[in-house]
Amino acid sequence: MNQTFYVTTPIYYVNDVPHIGHAYTTIAADVMARYHRSAGREVRFLTGTDEHGLKIDKAARAQGMRPIQLADQVVERFRALWKRLDIRFDDFIRTTEERHQRVVQRLFSRVRERGDIYLGEYEGLYCTGCEEYFTETQVPDGRCPLHQRPLERMKEKSYFFRMSRYQEALLRHIEEHPDFVQPEIRRNEITSFIREGLRDLSVSRTSFSWGVPVPDDPAHVIYVWIDALANYISALGWDGSDSGGELFSRFWPADVHLIGKDILRFHAVYWPTFLLSAGLPLPRRVYAHGFWTINGEKMSKSLRNVVEPHALIDAYGADAVRFFLLREVPFGLDGDFSHPALIGRVNAELANDLGNLLRRVVTVAEKYTRGEVPTPGAREGLEQHLVEVGLRAVKESAEHLENFQFHRALLSIWELVREANRFMDEAGPWTLHKEGRLERLNTVVYDALESLRVIGVLLHPFMPSTAEAMLSQLGLRPEQAELSRERVARWGGLAAGTLLQKGAPLFPRIEPERAQSLLGQFAPAAQEAKPSQPPPEKPQIAIEDFQKIDLRVGLVRSAERIKKSDKLLRLMVDVGEAEPRQVVAGIGKAYTPESLVGRRILLLCNLKPAKLMGVESRGMLLAAGPGGERVVIAEFAGDLAAGESVH
Ligand code: MSP
């Protein structure tokens, strides 16, 4: 196995302050870095900022600043956020640093020495938002497909990179290294893009000067994407030679570039062809995750729905935010952010499952084993089962993390959390105490405490402060050695006689009043929104009329798309009956199926069943909004039981 691990995030543009999209990639990278550290590898985790290019230049001017002033300001915002989110990077690179610019020039020169750079003229439609040219066929309406703004026609002398030369070599590389672009759907996208034919790439600009000059021709600045991508090796101090210098030879090629799907082509086509030309090894993996929408809508300044991470941390704490982002959506897929969903997970999984487990086990130990870790006796079937579940969680959570399946890793850990809660119910320490079966009582308390230790270690990469608080309550000092995967894989790591230190509850429940106030605080845009059409007035009804309606809290157990429909989803909803009900809902444009699982929706249960696209629906999910992408479901923020009647 590889004994080093090099993980990177994109370097973020400084024309904008950080939002949860940026936080998402960075948290994922931090979890990977922490996990690999705990597995004993030498880890390098790099993040940073992308500060050159026309976009930054324009944004700075608009605010009456020089670009470097704007960059200096915004970089501090990023750093402050990473600090609050407990992001432990090893290096932070800024593209305006000398150490970076030097490497960009070296790389450019090396590619030029290979005969892969020539001078030509470029004319095209340019989007400063993307820092990219488009062809007329790509954009028949002359607008940027991403930013929807009219493109600018630009013509300039430009250096070109012979990207076309590397088409076959790159295809072969992807074929031979199926892990190179992940997930699979992204690999397919990239292979078809390459098969359509790679054209030479314009890699310099003369229309502005905020960038790294082309060596020997300073009228040109190097294309901002080449500048930006080079950060992955400039931060390792690549010295221009094949071996590359100390850090480079130790950590390159990167084990993974974590990115959002928006910048896949730059990482899976431009960057590798550049490296091929330079004769440098390609990164082992480029993993593109999906995009977050907010209550089903695209996150954008004009919709005033950008989720500001500092406010989220103030409201819920850094660990809850870290947990939610990785638990809610399978890495690789798009997902939807909503406060009710976040509150639901804090209450159900963090407060009820995890927080309660710690509190009840430590309380029992205080009462019956003098607040210390007892010496266990012989294990019975019940304990053996707990140990099995514990060891399985250790193994499976690691496997899922190796595959970037963060939500699955958390699910594996939660199997142990739930099992440990069940174990406490079934083993009944209070009865054992009453009956004077002290040896058995000691075994039960020991194994319950030991499962908490295992959970603490496994959770550490995801929620470092929470895990450290858990381990300190168990009387451990959460240092590197305690956190090692090797130790956690051996049941019995807690030493008898260790003094416990009961502390504050991990996650207090968010009670309904607090939930309501949070929803109000975070919903200014919604409050100001006008209904798409004023609803027509309807005749009054009596309370008896309303009582005919069977409205219930429905807990969404699973959800999937209905084939051949982009709008319809098939949900299995628990409404307190023996079996969940199948419900068809037309919300597929606004919500991904995965984002609905675990939510508490409002379901009309006694509507006559109907068939939609051949699928029977036994109930109607309530929602509001103009429809399509802009529909918002009604849901409960509190922890209500499935099937609770609504009145
Ligand atoms: N500067 C370039 C990247 C250069 S890397 C050599 C850039 N910067 S960015 O500030 O726009 O950040 C883009 C990245 O932010 C995405 O790839 C993704 O990691 C993250 N996200 C931005 N918005 C997002 C969502 N709505 N959802 C999830 N992640 C998002 O592009």
Side-chain angles (χ1 to χ4, degrees):
M1 161 122 8
N2 189 6
Q3 281 315 306
T4 58
F5 185 78
Y6 181 30
V7 53
T8 66
T9 72
I11 47 172
Y12 303 108
Y13 286 131
V14 290
N15 61 326
D16 209 354
V17 295
H19 57 62
I20 57 156
H22 305 127
Y24 184 46
T25 325
T26 314
I27 292 169
D30 188 55
V31 172
M32 287 314 280
R34 287 175 184 272
Y35 161 72
H36 283 279
R37 277 185 209 118
S38 73
R41 289 176 203 124
E42 194 190 349
V43 169
R44 188 125 192 122
F45 166 18
L46 172 70
T47 188
T49 41
D50 189 353
E51 308 186 3
H52 288 138
L54 192 51
K55 185 183 359 214
I56 313 296
D57 196 23
K58 280 190 172 170
R61 274 171 218 262
Q63 296 178 52
M65 279 190 254
R66 283 183 295 123
I68 192 67
Q69 286 177 307
L70 174 67
D72 285 346
Q73 264 182 23
V74 177
V75 163
E76 287 317 309
R77 305 280 292 262
F78 276 98
R79 284 183 181 279
L81 179 62
W82 301 154
K83 187 150 186 235
R84 283 195 83 192
L85 277 173
D86 255 336
I87 305 294
R88 240 189 82 196
F89 49 77
D90 297 289
D91 195 0
F92 188 104
I93 184 103
R94 298 180 57 177
T95 55
T96 46
E97 284 174 77
E98 218 268 314
R99 62 167 174 156
H100 172 74
Q101 308 201 24
R102 210 168 35 218
V103 172
V104 175
Q105 291 194 328
R106 258 183 214 146
L107 185 63
F108 193 93
S109 303
R110 175 129 162 174
V111 171
R112 192 161 56 185
E113 281 156 24
R114 302 270 163 152
D116 284 337
I117 300 273
Y118 62 91
L119 191 62
E121 191 162 74
Y122 200 90
E123 180 173 359
L125 294 166
Y126 195 72
C127 171
T128 44
C130 302
E131 297 281 10
E132 205 186 359
Y133 277 107
F134 290 87
T135 59
E136 317 265 341
T137 42
Q138 280 173 320
V139 284
D141 62 351
R143 284 176 174 273
C144 168
L146 189 67
H147 296 91
Q148 293 303 324
R149 281 194 302 255
L151 297 168
E152 290 173 47
R153 178 161 294 282
M154 305 230 291
K155 186 174 174 179
E156 54 184 325
K157 267 207 161 19
S158 165
Y159 284 100
F160 282 81
F161 164 54
R162 290 189 205 281
M163 193 158 70
S164 52
R165 257 193 193 167
Y166 295 94
Q167 173 165 334
E168 291 314 314
L170 182 58
L171 273 176
R172 211 172 323 119
H173 183 86
I174 295 178
E175 239 159 58
E176 286 166 8
H177 302 84
D179 282 351
F180 177 57
V181 183
Q182 283 192 330
E184 200 176 321
I185 168 176
R186 303 291 163 221
R187 181 173 70 233
N188 298 340
E189 260 174 46
I190 284 298
T191 14
S192 12
F193 175 78
I194 303 172
R195 287 216 174 94
E196 275 170 30
L198 291 187
R199 298 188 314 153
D200 290 351
L201 183 70
S202 154
V203 288
S204 75
R205 303 282 182 264
T206 51
S207 46
F208 60 90
S209 58
W210 180 237
V212 182
V214 166
D216 314 321
D217 192 355
H220 290 255
V221 296
I222 295 174
Y223 174 42
V224 68
W225 269 101
I226 300 296
D227 172 349
L229 289 159
N231 90 88
Y232 301 130
I233 60 171
S234 70
L236 297 178
W238 181 58
D239 64 9
S241 70
D242 285 341
S243 60
E246 208 263 315
L247 273 182
F248 182 87
S249 59
R250 193 135 44 106
F251 289 106
W252 191 259
D255 290 85
V256 62
H257 292 320
L258 288 181
I259 57 167
K261 64 179 184 180
D262 54 330
I263 55 176
L264 178 64
R265 209 189 325 141
F266 301 103
H267 284 81
V269 181
Y270 297 6
W271 179 227
T273 50
F274 229 68
L275 289 169
L276 282 172
S277 164
L280 296 174
L282 306 196
R284 293 208 167 82
R285 208 189 245 109
V286 174
Y287 202 114
H289 63 67
F291 253 48
W292 285 93
T293 50
I294 310 301
N295 294 318
E297 288 183 324
K298 198 176 161 216
M299 188 163 37
S300 89
K301 271 192 189 160
S302 54
L303 290 171
R304 291 199 285 152
N305 65 355
V306 175
V307 179
E308 210 281 296
H310 284 291
L312 272 191
I313 302 170
D314 291 341
Y316 303 99
D319 276 357
V321 174
R322 290 173 64 110
F323 172 79
F324 176 77
L325 291 177
L326 294 179
R327 171 66 186 83
E328 181 74 358
V329 178
F331 203 62
L333 300 183
D334 291 341
D336 187 54
F337 178 92
S338 81
H339 287 275
L342 172 47
I343 293 170
R345 288 215 185 269
V346 168
N347 280 346
E349 287 161 52
L350 298 181
N352 273 9
D353 293 344
L354 182 67
N356 269 351
L357 178 67
L358 178 70
R359 191 189 43 80
R360 68 196 286 210
V361 175
V362 175
T363 308
V364 160
E366 276 197 325
K367 260 199 184 144
Y368 304 139
T369 65
R370 301 182 316 274
E372 54 181 65
V373 178
T375 307
R379 286 204 169 92
E380 294 187 5
L382 205 57
E383 291 81 65
Q384 265 153 16
H385 183 60
L386 180 67
V387 176
E388 266 164 41
V389 175
L391 295 181
R392 199 180 324 136
V394 172
K395 182 166 162 283
E396 290 182 357
S397 64
E399 285 166 1
H400 293 314
L401 277 177
E402 301 278 348
N403 291 322
F404 302 88
Q405 290 301 298
F406 300 96
H407 77 296
R408 289 229 167 92
L410 284 166
L411 278 170
S412 303
I413 302 170
W414 247 254
E415 297 213 340
L416 175 58
V417 173
R418 298 210 169 107
E419 184 56 39
N421 269 315
R422 229 178 345 252
F423 173 78
M424 289 295 281
D425 296 340
E426 285 175 24
W430 40 95
T431 321
L432 294 175
H433 180 256
K434 217 164 50 196
E435 292 171 355
R437 295 164 62 194
L438 295 188
E439 187 182 329
R440 171 121 188 85
L441 177 63
N442 284 345
T443 315
V444 164
V445 173
Y446 182 90
D447 279 339
L449 288 167
E450 177 65 1
S451 56
L452 280 170
R453 179 186 74 90
V454 173
I455 293 164
V457 175
L458 297 185
L459 272 184
H460 191 263
F462 294 91
M463 298 195 282
S465 323
T466 302
E468 284 166 23
M470 282 179 74
L471 295 172
S472 332
Q473 294 205 26
L474 300 181
L476 299 174
R477 269 181 302 140
E479 296 155 346
Q480 202 62 31
E482 291 290 2
L483 297 173
S484 94
R485 287 267 151 176
E486 209 185 327
R487 276 196 64 178
V488 77
R490 268 177 277 138
W491 195 268
L494 267 181
T498 310
L499 270 189
L500 306 179
Q501 290 180 2
K502 195 171 181 187
L506 288 185
F507 288 96
R509 285 179 54 80
I510 302 176
E511 299 300 343
E513 305 87 77
R514 166 109 179 101
Q516 284 312 326
S517 103
L518 285 172
L519 294 184
Q521 174 195 331
F522 283 108
Q527 278 166 1
E528 286 163 26
K530 299 251 180 322
S532 42
Q533 266 184 343
E537 226 166 278
K538 294 179 184 167
Q540 279 191 343
I541 59 168
I543 186 75
E544 296 75 34
D545 295 320
F546 179 75
Q547 279 160 352
K548 287 187 200 154
I549 300 177
D550 182 1
L551 263 186
R552 292 190 218 170
V553 177
L555 179 61
V556 182
R557 294 282 181 202
S558 65
E560 61 183 27
R561 293 198 179 274
I562 290 183
K563 284 206 184 80
K564 301 215 180 97
S565 166
D566 56 351
K567 205 172 134 205
L568 295 183
L569 300 184
R570 188 175 82 95
L571 313 181
M572 296 306 290
V573 185
D574 184 350
V575 287
E577 299 165 341
E579 295 283 320
R581 283 199 191 197
Q582 172 169 298
V583 174
V584 177
I587 54 172
K589 285 197 170 158
Y591 295 87
T592 57
E594 302 75 32
S595 70
L596 293 166
V597 176
R599 294 202 189 183
R600 288 174 169 73
I601 59 168
L602 201 53
L603 197 77
L604 173 56
C605 288
N606 59 339
L607 187 70
K608 228 166 78 192
K611 275 198 169 170
L612 290 127
M613 304 261 305
V615 183
E616 185 177 53
S617 181
R618 295 182 51 229
M620 185 168 90
L621 167 152
L622 301 191
E629 286 162 11
R630 307 201 33 192
V631 66
V632 179
I633 61 171
E635 65 184 311
F636 292 96
D639 188 20
L640 289 164
E644 198 83 61
S645 88
V646 179
H647 37 257

